[in-house]
Amino acid sequence: MIVNRTMKLLLAGAALTLTASAAVAQTNLRVFVSSQHRPDVWRKAFDMYEAKNPNVKVTIETGGNTSEAQAQYLNTVMTAKDSSLDVMILDVIRPAQYAAAGWTVPFNEVLGGDADAYMKRYLPAYAEANTVEGKVVALPAFADAMFLYYRKDLLEKHGIQPPQTWDELATAAKKVTESEKDTNLQGLSFQGKAIEGAVCTFLLPYWSMGKQLVSNGKLSFDKEAAVKSLKLWKDFVDQGVAKKNIAEVATDDTRKEFQAGNVLFAVNWSYAWGQFQGAESAVKDKVGVVKLPAVQGGQPASCLGGWEWGVSAYSNNKTEAQKFVQYLSSPETSEFMAINAALLPQFPDVYTDADVTKAVPWFASARPVVETAKARPVTPRYNEVSDIIRTTVNAVLAGQSTPEEGATQMEGRLRRVLR
Amino acid sequence: MATASETTLVTARNESGTKWWTRFLDPSERTLAMLLLLPAALLLALIIVYPVCRLVWTSFQNLSLTSGAPAAFAGLENYSLMLEDPVFWETTWNTVLITLITVPGALLVGLALALMANLPFKRKWPVRLSLLIPWALPLSFAGLIFAWFFHSEYGVVNDVLGRLGFEGVIWFNSANWAFAAICLTIIWKTSSFMALIILAGLQTIPRSLYEAADVDGAGRLRQFFEITLPLLKPSIVVALIFRTITALQTFDIPFTMTRGGPGTSTATLAMYIHQNTVDFLDLGYGSALAVFMFVLSMGVTAVYLRMIRAKG
């Protein structure tokens, strides 16, 4: 009887120790991936990591189909100091904000003394976007930039070269739409709705004139250039190059209209390419992609996009999470995501990798565009800056205010935010 | 002739004025009454007084969650910022305008709907059900549906206009048209609520009054202005109070229809509060705006209550 009881106690004790040690060894990482960035393919990358690291289990959480929606969700989680997320994907405009708010942990300790060398492997813009005051606050997940998509077939038909300046684009658009006599065909589609994309809409010609919006954290607003930039887009509407309701058009509307064969030129991010070549696309194999035009006498400029991996400051598994992020931000994962999800690599070499160019041939020509893309203003109050720019662009395109009024309002509001 | 609800209002006034219950209670019972009321008072303090005090306190602070800096006392800084902020003035004006248009609009439509629903139908439920549907629909859902209705290319409104030989309008491209679309949607959404309250009021009016009026030879129109409308007054005031307060807090419909666009021309104060607190995480400034809205709502309610008192 006594022996029996002792045995039971021993067994129970052993069982307890076993479960306890198992619980210590197993790390659960919860990763947030926005739903428009191929969570299905990321899942495969996570599986590969789990296979190599049996003690780590990765669960995926998706949500937020736009940068704004996703930021709203993450803002809520972070302000609540919620520990449920360990790793999160961030739009390139956010690492600086998150670091300023103390929501992410720097990687410097994990990377050791050679953090600089580690970051130098990436395209310079991403090394820069993820380093705040000498601290590596996030690691790049993939790159992106805005491109000019055009109908190769239609330009060839009319003997026109892809435009180098916005003026050339307007002339080409007028010529093609007039002779095609297709009432559904628009010359140019871009983002006029008050969304993040409209910030880029404003900045493209503004940057092309060699101007900066923020330098050293201070506003360096060039009103004349701002008026010109707003006027450039408004003129497209007034001349009939862009359609009258462009103020209603969001990023994916541009993609859909072009994909349906109703647009000659379109300004859009890299994700559109894969969709244009899809089975349901009316323009499959008829699409060309080049860098965006410049203003007359200016340099072409593109808006830097891309997404970064940050580790939550409230995570209970920070070290494991950082190791995992290093894997996610490695050349191997970049290559895997380029081939399987057509996400642009954050490493210069991966663009010309044989396997990558075989799967996505146009990546070779995408690299120079990404390399010359400019980052949107880096400031912890970026959300406000973004709101000011996008509502102004939207109001000007809708004819609600003139380019001059828009630029004046923009300057006044930006001054208040970036005091 | 006072209706039931008028009587209630009259007693309510006396209650607050003369503390009628002191006459019935001796001191020990008074203590007991206080004790019995205590849980309710505590609950009220917890869910109303505390948040409001906290809101006012936050509005005096520099508290931006994106800066990483701890909260600091800022005095009236947020309020002085507010006065210089053109977007604050614009959104406040938009809110007032929406209130001035949609409250009377919903009242007129609601009154008409209630009168129709009060007609001697054999089957009353289909009428009442159709009155309930817009009211039961979530606001943001109504906004999304109407955003599609008013879409310049795919919307049914422009389609109908086109069939009638008119040129379609790019509704959300102009502040005035966007505003009109939003107001129409709000009136559609809220007039059924007005109708429900007014219908309840209509049913308390005794039929005998109309019969007597018939005997006296009063026409339909005269009956409406001399019997129906005066006796409906209390219901109308109640409906107006509810509707006005919700109108001052208008958020969902413009948010889903235009996001405040074009530019900021259809943004409301509630949207601006949301933007500052949720998107910009500037809790100090957002709270100051919210305090302003709270004061505005209280002010409007006070005006209404004074009106009832004056007419009582």
Side-chain angles (χ1 to χ4, degrees):
Chain A
M1 189 71 184
I2 290 172
V3 177
N4 207 349
R5 191 189 283 171
T6 320
M7 277 295 287
K8 268 188 191 163
L9 267 174
L10 273 174
L11 275 173
L16 254 176
T17 329
L18 273 174
T19 32
S21 61
V24 168
Q26 180 81 41
T27 312
N28 289 308
L29 294 178
R30 196 164 174 81
V31 181
F32 179 82
V33 184
S34 40
S35 48
Q36 83 266 41
H37 294 132
R38 305 300 301 271
D40 51 329
V41 187
W42 281 112
R43 181 68 253 179
K44 287 183 194 151
F46 299 170
D47 291 343
M48 294 193 295
Y49 187 77
E50 281 179 350
K52 275 187 256 168
N53 302 271
N55 60 331
V56 178
K57 176 130 181 45
V58 182
T59 45
I60 190 166
E61 183 175 324
T62 68
N65 209 18
T66 62
S67 176
E68 289 88 354
Q70 194 241 82
Q72 259 185 15
Y73 171 72
L74 289 180
N75 282 351
T76 319
V77 175
M78 290 295 118
T79 44
K81 299 185 170 35
D82 189 337
S83 64
S84 63
L85 285 180
D86 300 291
V87 176
M88 53 205 171
I89 203 164
L90 300 170
D91 194 339
V92 67
I93 50 187
R94 304 203 198 279
Q97 300 168 51
Y98 277 48
W103 291 346
T104 47
V105 277
F107 283 80
N108 296 54
E109 274 178 40
V110 189
L111 298 178
D114 49 350
D116 273 352
Y118 191 88
M119 295 309 282
K120 280 216 168 74
R121 304 175 308 150
Y122 297 109
L123 287 165
Y126 295 99
E128 204 178 300
N130 290 302
T131 313
V132 179
E133 289 166 2
K135 287 198 176 119
V136 179
V137 295
L139 292 180
F142 58 91
D144 206 354
M146 278 188 146
F147 297 87
L148 182 72
Y149 292 95
Y150 64 94
R151 284 286 297 276
K152 219 165 41 181
D153 56 331
L154 288 176
L155 286 200
E156 274 167 18
K157 186 176 160 192
H158 295 272
I160 302 171
Q161 288 297 310
Q164 306 270 324
T165 66
W166 291 108
D167 291 343
E168 282 174 33
L169 182 142
T171 317
K174 279 182 227 163
K175 187 175 168 196
V176 174
T177 45
E178 269 164 31
S179 45
E180 283 292 313
K181 294 193 168 48
D182 175 0
T183 49
N184 281 327
L185 187 70
Q186 313 158 41
L188 170 70
S189 180
F190 59 93
Q191 288 84 58
K193 198 171 176 165
I195 52 158
E196 186 57 41
V199 178
C200 292
T201 298
F202 169 74
L203 288 170
L204 294 174
Y206 183 84
W207 279 335
S208 171
M209 288 174 249
K211 305 298 176 190
Q212 290 296 319
L213 198 66
V214 173
S215 51
N216 302 323
K218 290 263 181 302
L219 185 69
S220 60
F221 190 79
D222 187 310
K223 198 173 158 194
E224 202 184 322
V227 173
K228 275 190 192 160
S229 167
L230 293 169
K231 196 167 176 310
L232 176 110
W233 297 110
K234 183 65 168 75
D235 284 348
F236 284 146
V237 184
D238 294 341
Q239 295 167 5
V241 172
K243 61 177 183 175
K244 288 217 155 36
N245 71 339
I246 195 80
E248 288 183 328
V249 172
T251 314
D252 214 42
D253 298 325
T254 298
R255 194 267 302 167
K256 283 182 204 150
E257 288 168 354
F258 190 90
Q259 195 171 327
N262 295 335
V263 179
L264 181 64
F265 296 109
V267 179
N268 214 329
W269 302 94
S270 64
Y271 84 103
W273 174 265
Q275 313 238 21
F276 294 156
Q277 297 304 329
E280 285 167 30
S281 169
V283 292
K284 193 170 187 291
D285 300 325
K286 293 178 189 164
V287 186
V289 53
V290 283
K291 61 185 172 196
L292 289 161
V295 294
Q296 201 74 47
Q299 288 295 315
S302 177
C303 211
L304 185 83
W307 292 70
E308 328 300 314
W309 292 114
V311 171
S312 163
Y314 309 109
S315 159
N316 295 323
N317 314 299
K318 294 190 190 74
T319 318
E320 275 300 337
Q322 289 190 316
K323 271 194 220 153
F324 178 54
V325 164
Q326 275 184 276
Y327 157 80
L328 290 178
S329 185
S330 66
E332 294 74 35
T333 313
S334 171
E335 192 183 323
F336 178 80
M337 294 310 289
I339 294 169
N340 293 286
L343 296 181
L344 286 168
Q346 66 273 46
F347 299 95
D349 307 341
V350 181
Y351 283 86
T352 42
D353 178 281
D355 293 333
V356 171
T357 45
K358 193 170 157 237
V360 262
W362 76 281
F363 270 24
S365 50
R367 184 175 135 191
V369 181
V370 178
E371 277 178 339
T372 53
K374 291 187 194 307
R376 280 159 274 171
V378 175
T379 153
R381 297 188 72 175
Y382 179 76
N383 285 354
E384 281 148 285
V385 172
S386 164
D387 180 72
I388 292 165
I389 299 177
R390 62 169 100 153
T391 47
T392 310
V393 170
N394 178 257
V396 169
L397 289 175
Q400 203 54 43
S401 42
T402 64
E404 287 78 13
E405 288 164 358
T408 309
Q409 283 164 11
M410 202 189 270
E411 185 175 21
R413 290 178 68 194
L414 284 173
R415 263 194 211 298
R416 254 194 308 283
V417 171
L418 297 173
R419 275 169 287 167
Chain B
M1 178 82 202
T3 63
S5 32
E6 253 183 345
T7 325
T8 332
L9 288 169
V10 170
T11 5
R13 193 175 73 234
N14 290 343
E15 277 165 23
S16 58
T18 58
K19 293 182 184 161
W20 55 273
W21 45 268
T22 49
R23 277 182 277 141
F24 306 106
L25 298 176
D26 65 33
S28 67
E29 275 183 318
R30 220 174 290 169
T31 318
L32 179 68
M34 287 299 192
L35 280 174
L36 290 173
L37 282 173
L38 197 63
L42 279 177
L43 195 67
L44 207 67
L46 194 71
I47 62 168
I48 296 178
V49 181
Y50 172 72
V52 170
C53 292
R54 186 70 204 263
L55 180 77
V56 174
W57 173 238
T58 316
S59 75
F60 293 123
Q61 289 191 314
N62 242 333
L63 178 53
S64 168
L65 296 180
T66 52
S67 69
F73 186 73
L76 290 171
E77 197 186 305
N78 287 321
Y79 290 94
S80 64
L81 265 181
M82 204 163 93
L83 298 179
E84 294 164 10
D85 181 356
V87 185
F88 160 73
W89 290 110
E90 189 180 13
T91 51
T92 303
W93 170 240
N94 289 343
T95 307
V96 170
L97 208 58
I98 285 180
T99 310
L100 290 178
I101 295 172
T102 63
V103 174
L107 175 67
L108 289 180
V109 179
L111 184 62
L113 287 174
L115 290 172
M116 284 197 311
N118 203 38
L119 293 175
F121 287 110
K122 264 200 182 140
R123 280 188 197 283
K124 286 199 164 62
W125 68 263
V127 184
R128 308 240 158 123
L129 185 69
S130 56
L131 267 190
L132 270 170
I133 285 172
W135 177 70
L137 211 61
L139 277 165
S140 51
F141 198 48
L144 285 174
I145 295 172
F146 276 77
W148 273 110
F149 284 176
F150 287 108
H151 193 280
S152 65
E153 282 175 35
Y154 319 116
V156 66
V157 178
N158 274 1
D159 185 57
V160 171
L161 286 177
R163 280 162 205 266
L164 294 176
F166 295 101
E167 201 176 327
V169 175
I170 305 177
W171 292 86
F172 301 134
N173 236 15
S174 112
N176 292 340
W177 284 123
F179 216 88
I182 287 171
C183 287
L184 278 172
T185 309
I186 295 177
I187 291 173
W188 177 85
K189 172 76 181 82
T190 54
S191 49
S192 58
F193 169 74
M194 303 291 258
L196 287 172
I197 295 184
I198 295 169
L199 183 61
L202 274 176
Q203 287 171 352
T204 62
I205 303 176
R207 286 232 58 81
S208 55
L209 290 179
Y210 295 100
E211 284 154 15
D214 273 337
V215 173
D216 291 345
R220 283 258 170 238
L221 208 60
R222 184 128 186 243
Q223 286 181 12
F224 175 77
F225 281 108
E226 306 251 322
I227 303 171
T228 316
L229 212 49
L231 294 185
L232 269 182
K233 232 176 225 165
S235 321
I236 289 176
V237 172
V238 168
L240 279 179
I241 292 182
F242 279 116
R243 184 68 271 279
T244 310
I245 292 174
T246 48
L248 289 173
Q249 298 167 352
T250 300
F251 175 85
D252 309 55
I253 285 178
F255 185 76
T256 42
M257 284 179 81
T258 63
R259 293 260 159 174
T264 46
S265 54
T266 58
T268 64
L269 189 57
M271 286 165 74
Y272 197 45
I273 295 172
H274 169 266
Q275 190 179 42
N276 275 287
T277 47
V278 178
D279 295 342
F280 305 160
L281 297 172
D282 190 344
L283 300 191
Y285 191 52
S287 300
L289 293 169
V291 167
F292 171 77
M293 185 151 137
F294 179 70
V295 171
L296 190 69
S297 307
M298 293 294 277
V300 171
T301 316
V303 170
Y304 273 119
L305 290 179
R306 191 157 279 272
M307 264 169 54
I308 302 176
R309 218 166 268 200
K311 283 178 186 165

